[in-house]
Every structure is written in C-alpha cells, then in structure tokens.
Amino acid sequence: IKKAPAHCRLAGVYAIDAVCRRSKAQLKDKDPFVARFGKEIGATLQCLDASSLEDRQRLVKVVCEWTKQKLFDVDFNSLAVIKRTRDDSRAALERAEQKASPRARSPSPEPQPHQKVSRFSSQPPPPQQFGGPYAGQGPPRGFSPQGMPPQGFSNGPPQGFPPQQFPPRGAPGGGPPHAPVPTPRPTP
C-alpha cells in the first residue's frame, strides 16, 4: 500500500479489511491476520494522507467499522490522516452550506389586485416552462401541445429516402420481402 499510487491505496485498505473481517469471523481466536496487520496498520493508513478527500472519507468509514467491531487495538482517532479528513470534511460541508444558503434578496413587489397570486408565493406563477437539463429550450422535439406532429413531421413514409423498387407481386421474387406470395387456386 505504501508503494502504490495515491489513487490506488484505498483498494489495499479494503483488501486488509476483507481479509481481517473474514478471518476473524471464521477463525475467531486463532486468527493470525488481525495481529499481523495490526502491527503496522497506523503507518499503513497514514500513507493515505496524500489521497483525495473522497478516498480519505471512505477510509474514515472503514476505520469506524473497525472501531465498532474492535478489530484492531489501535486508537485511530489519534492518526493525523483521520483528524485531517474530518477537518477537511467539515470545511467542505460548511462551504456547501454557504453556497446553498439564500442570499439577501430584494423585497418582492406587492401583487396587483388583478394578478393571480399563488397561496405559496407573493409572485404570480411563471409561464409554463420545461424543466430539467434542457430548461429554457422550449418543448422537446416531437412534442406538440395540440396533439399534432410539429412542422416537418408527418405520419407518412420518411421523406428524403428513395422509394423502394420491387418487382410486381406475381413475378418471381416479386413484392416486398415480407409480403406473402399468392398461390393460385384450382378452378372447379
């Protein structure tokens, strides 16, 4: 794990986690892996200090599970990587909350007596718009509120394609490929 690139180190921690949990569950008191990994687990986790905040947050979750299960006899809260991750996470959360908080808004004008006012807002409802990632681009292509195809669409065959030429149905190999070939009826 120490020699791996920073973006790959968390995978090594996950491997240690899987091996230690499985062996502890299966072998109970005779488990050799928890003792072996436990000797250097602090130094191993410290190597993740150079990893991204997201990877370090995932590390904290794994360490919390280890603490709940009492897997290793180590005080993980004293590790610098855990302290730094928690501090960075708090700072990122505070920045996100500041961005999401409503900024000072100008007072809204009083509604006129002839305007329709929503019971949830002092503003009249906006004209209907299409939301989502294409907001402000108008109705989706192929959509017409009147139920008719928009201009350029028709219910007929596609425009711009050459008509398909088939020999007459009665001729050998005639008709479109999906059409049944008529069989002559015997006359009585």
Side-chain angles (χ1 to χ4, degrees):
I1 293 175
K2 294 176 183 178
K3 295 178 182 178
H7 67 277
C8 297
R9 292 179 182 167
L10 183 64
V13 173
Y14 284 152
I16 292 172
D17 177 54
V19 167
C20 290
R21 283 196 205 189
R22 185 84 181 249
S23 67
K24 182 97 171 176
Q26 288 180 349
L27 304 174
K28 302 197 190 282
D29 295 332
K30 297 179 182 180
D31 172 38
F33 296 104
V34 173
R36 288 182 188 169
F37 283 117
K39 291 177 185 175
E40 292 293 321
I41 196 71
T44 303
L45 297 183
Q46 202 58 41
C47 294
L48 271 87
D49 202 28
S51 297
S52 68
L53 176 61
E54 185 178 321
D55 283 352
R56 289 184 286 128
Q57 287 171 335
R58 291 178 180 161
L59 170 69
V60 169
K61 289 181 182 179
V62 171
V63 167
C64 286
E65 286 298 314
W66 289 348
T67 305
K68 286 178 190 174
Q69 296 176 6
K70 298 179 182 172
L71 197 61
F72 297 104
D73 294 327
V74 177
D75 180 22
F76 292 110
N77 292 324
S78 64
L79 292 176
V81 65
I82 303 297
K83 289 179 183 177
R84 181 173 160 246
T85 302
R86 289 182 174 154
D87 292 343
D88 290 351
S89 295
R90 272 191 220 106
L93 182 63
E94 288 172 3
R95 283 193 302 269
E97 287 175 352
Q98 286 175 356
K99 285 183 182 179
S101 69
R103 293 195 167 90
R105 297 182 183 173
S106 60
S108 59
E110 293 298 318
Q112 300 298 324
H114 66 280
Q115 289 178 330
K116 182 178 178 183
V117 178
S118 168
R119 66 182 179 143
F120 300 108
S121 167
S122 63
Q123 297 293 326
Q128 183 179 5
Q129 294 182 358
F130 294 94
Y134 305 105
Q137 296 182 7
R141 185 172 179 213
F143 175 80
S144 174
Q146 291 81 18
M148 298 295 292
Q151 189 175 15
F153 287 85
S154 71
N155 292 334
Q159 301 293 325
F161 291 99
Q164 296 193 7
Q165 301 294 324
F166 295 106
R169 287 190 184 219
H178 62 280
V181 177
T183 56
R185 291 186 188 184
T187 55

